[in-house]
Amino acid sequence: ESLDAIGEALRENGRVIVTGCLGAEPAYITGAHPRVLAVTGPQQYEAVLDAVHRAVPPSPPRSRARSVMCARCPRSVACFRSSP
């Protein structure tokens, strides 16, 4: 059933990272679905984040926030928009 779910996710999304208990057996997963981006076992938080960052690199840091309130964004805590 889990392999079917992985296959369905690959068909629908094309990009899948397998995590958790089933991820403890990467050869089993990649043997059935070689296109998965990564396979990580349970409680491997850093490995999951590394896989996500390989698949979708983090965006470059934005410029520093201006004041605490912005007239154009009254509900925001900080605004990254350029000055009007």
Side-chain angles (χ1 to χ4, degrees):
E1 183 176 310
S2 295
L3 288 177
D4 291 340
I6 294 167
E8 182 179 335
L10 282 167
R11 284 189 298 280
E12 290 181 14
N13 302 310
R15 297 169 19 153
V16 174
I17 297 171
V18 179
T19 67
C21 295
L22 192 57
E25 301 180 41
Y28 178 69
I29 301 296
T30 57
H33 298 291
R35 292 186 2 211
V36 296
L37 297 175
V39 180
T40 66
Q43 300 180 358
Q44 293 183 337
Y45 309 111
E46 288 186 21
V48 173
L49 288 176
D50 289 344
V52 169
H53 288 154
R54 280 193 307 274
V56 182
S59 59
R62 299 177 89 176
S63 62
R64 299 186 82 182
R66 292 185 318 192
S67 65
V68 174
M69 294 300 285
C70 172
R72 291 174 25 188
C73 313
R75 295 175 59 158
S76 68
V77 175
C79 179
F80 291 92
R81 294 181 185 187
S82 57
S83 299

